């Protein structure tokens, strides 16, 4: 069901269904629920907290691809680089430099998204849009960090149609910054369970879905929810 809805939204944007990847947001889900999700064909999983992820990931199937989608503190960067395939939530040049240093120490390349606070909400993390072009120029000197794209979290509203302007704005800004800087910025990580179809229609390449796959947190009715993603 979920993949069918993603495919339909992608078609509205003139893209193929496989242009959009489904990332299962597995915060607070136990390893058994993740194992069930993997058996249903899910591969990409996103965690919000370093401590939870470091305890959980070793207990989950080894072939899974783990992404950090929550706020990253500077003192947790080295652990994050060791745990995750990709970091979606880099929100400062200082943090970008710390990820570069940690990746150098680990001897690996790490793809990241810059988190952009498109809505301008004071309580949200993320770059102010006007800071992104100079951050991309700063990133040109980095050797271990690959800027793959942008991430955003829109305001929390009941009507998902009300967040469309924020997704549209990020895509428009991405196109401008692509032309200005030469960074491809292919990934747009945006859209969650209540608004992912709008996000896909506006260009999302990764949607971060939790509740629609796993049910409400601490809900044991997990398997049926995940099977609906097929």
């Amino acid at each position: 069901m979920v993949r069918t809805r993603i495919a339909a939204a992608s078609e509205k944007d003139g893209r193929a269904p496989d242009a959009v990847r489904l990332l299962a947001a597995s915060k607070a889900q136990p390893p058994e629920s993740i194992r069930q999700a993997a058996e249903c064909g899910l591969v990409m999983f996103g965690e919000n907290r370093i401590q939870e992820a470091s305890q959980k990931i070793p207990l989950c199937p080894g072939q899974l691809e783990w992404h950090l989608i929550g706020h990253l503190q500077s003192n947790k960067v080295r652990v994050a680089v060791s745990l995750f395939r990709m970091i979606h939530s880099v929100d400062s040049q200082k943090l970008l430099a710390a990820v570069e240093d940690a990746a150098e120490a680990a001897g690996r390349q790490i793809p990241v998204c810059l988190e952009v606070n498109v809505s301008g909400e004071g309580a949200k993390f993320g770059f102010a849009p006007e800071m992104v072009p100079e951050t991309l120029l700063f990133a040109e000197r980095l050797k271990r960090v690959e800027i793959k794209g942008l991430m955003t979290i829109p305001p929390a509203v009941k009507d998902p149609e009300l967040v469309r302007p924020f997704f549209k704005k990020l895509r428009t800004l991405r196109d401008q910054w692509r032309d200005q800087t030469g960074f491809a910025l292919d990934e747009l990580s945006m859209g969650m369970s209540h608004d992912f179809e709008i996000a896909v229609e506006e260009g999302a390449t990764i949607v971060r879905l939790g509740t629609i796959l796993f049910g409400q947190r601490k809900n044991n009715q997990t398997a049926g929810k995940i099977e609906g993603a097929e």
Side-chain angles (χ1 to χ4, degrees):
M1 180 180 70
V2 172
R3 288 197 173 111
T4 300
R5 291 168 62 182
I6 290 173
S10 185
E11 185 177 353
K12 287 184 179 180
D13 189 43
R15 294 182 293 157
D18 61 4
V20 183
R21 292 184 288 162
L22 193 167
L23 185 153
S26 50
K27 174 184 175 181
Q29 298 299 329
E32 179 57 31
S33 294
I34 293 169
R35 193 172 300 112
Q36 291 177 33
E39 290 172 356
C40 293
L42 298 179
V43 175
M44 292 171 52
F45 290 81
E47 287 289 318
N48 288 66
R49 299 189 177 111
I50 299 294
Q51 183 174 357
E52 179 184 345
S54 64
Q55 295 172 350
K56 182 192 300 183
I57 290 174
L59 303 177
C60 294
Q63 77 277 13
L64 304 182
E65 181 178 323
W66 294 92
H67 294 228
L68 180 64
I69 58 176
H71 179 62
L72 177 59
Q73 298 174 316
S74 295
N75 63 347
K76 301 288 179 61
V77 167
R78 287 187 180 274
V79 179
V81 166
S82 70
L83 287 175
F84 296 103
R85 175 79 62 86
M86 182 174 178
I87 298 172
H88 291 231
S89 49
V90 173
D91 59 4
S92 71
Q93 290 186 18
K94 178 181 177 182
L95 188 60
L96 198 58
V99 174
E100 168 76 7
D101 290 344
E104 176 66 32
R108 62 164 295 197
Q109 302 291 124
I110 184 158
V112 307
C113 286
L114 302 182
E115 182 174 359
V116 184
N117 186 353
V118 177
S119 67
E121 294 173 277
K124 277 195 168 66
F125 295 106
F127 287 97
E130 60 269 22
M131 293 297 296
V132 173
E134 71 175 63
T135 300
L136 291 172
L137 292 175
F138 171 81
E140 286 183 345
R141 73 189 73 168
L142 304 180
K143 298 179 180 179
R144 294 290 185 172
V145 172
E146 304 172 20
I147 308 295
K148 304 296 284 187
L150 309 169
M151 187 266 263
T152 199
I153 302 173
V157 294
K158 289 185 178 180
D159 182 359
E161 190 62 40
L162 295 177
V163 302
R164 186 183 294 275
F166 300 101
F167 295 142
K168 185 186 293 288
K169 182 176 181 181
L170 187 66
R171 185 179 191 172
T172 299
L173 288 170
R174 185 278 304 275
D175 293 346
Q176 293 175 3
W177 296 333
R178 176 185 278 173
D179 292 340
Q180 291 172 5
T181 67
F183 279 84
L185 302 176
D186 289 328
E187 301 289 2
L188 288 179
S189 173
M190 57 189 195
M192 295 181 283
S193 290
H194 65 293
D195 59 18
F196 70 93
E197 287 161 297
I198 302 294
V200 172
E201 290 173 11
E202 296 300 334
T205 63
I206 299 173
V207 290
R208 309 180 303 270
L209 308 185
T211 302
I212 199 170
L213 299 179
F214 295 104
Q216 295 296 329
R217 292 191 185 103
K218 297 183 180 180
N219 184 342
N220 290 327
Q221 304 302 316
T222 305
K225 292 281 188 179
I226 298 170
E227 287 169 359
E230 286 301 296

